Amino acid sequence: QVQLVESGGGLVQTGGSLRLSCAASGVIFRSNVMGWYRQGPGKQRELVAAFTRSGSTNYADSVKGRFTISRDDAKNTVYLQMNSLKPEDTAVYYCRLSQWGTEYWGQGTQVTVSS
């Protein structure tokens, strides 16, 4: 079993920064794929940033140049550095881990950007 615990969300003003963390525990394989998704009010969950199986990264067009995903494999932790935040970034941010055909989700962390 795998557990994901996100942290780092909060309230920030437009233009501010936040850093989200997602710590994975349990049976973790090095072949896992991790990423960040978000769900804004009245919206569907969408990809924000993720690592691919080859280790490269994918970003939503709306966050390119502002958000950076990184990982520390020794700690089984993935991070999302969010800069130049905008009100439209307000959402619950979820961490996702996929391995061997199974996906796991964290409980989510709220990010609110005030205008």
Side-chain angles (χ1 to χ4, degrees):
Q1 190 62 283
V2 173
Q3 290 185 327
L4 303 173
V5 178
E6 300 109 331
S7 61
L11 173 64
V12 65
Q13 292 185 332
T14 296
S17 298
L18 285 173
R19 187 193 193 207
L20 305 183
S21 299
C22 172
S25 62
V27 181
I28 308 296
F29 295 95
R30 293 191 61 82
S31 59
N32 73 78
V33 174
M34 295 186 72
W36 289 95
Y37 292 71
R38 69 185 180 187
Q39 188 166 12
K43 298 181 180 180
Q44 291 187 331
R45 192 173 296 188
E46 62 177 0
L47 170 71
V48 177
F51 287 99
T52 68
R53 293 193 181 279
S54 65
S56 61
T57 54
N58 283 332
Y59 292 92
D61 288 342
S62 59
V63 306
K64 286 181 179 177
R66 300 188 297 122
F67 291 10
T68 303
I69 189 171
S70 61
R71 65 191 298 167
D72 184 337
D73 288 336
K75 297 181 179 180
N76 287 325
T77 299
V78 65
Y79 305 95
L80 185 67
Q81 178 66 44
M82 305 185 295
N83 299 327
S84 302
L85 283 161
K86 305 175 181 180
E88 50 264 43
D89 295 318
T90 295
V92 178
Y93 284 70
Y94 297 91
C95 177
R96 175 183 179 269
L97 183 150
S98 175
Q99 61 181 19
W100 297 106
T102 302
E103 63 177 17
Y104 304 88
W105 293 89
Q107 81 286 354
T109 184
Q110 177 71 46
V111 171
T112 302
V113 184
S114 63
S115 57

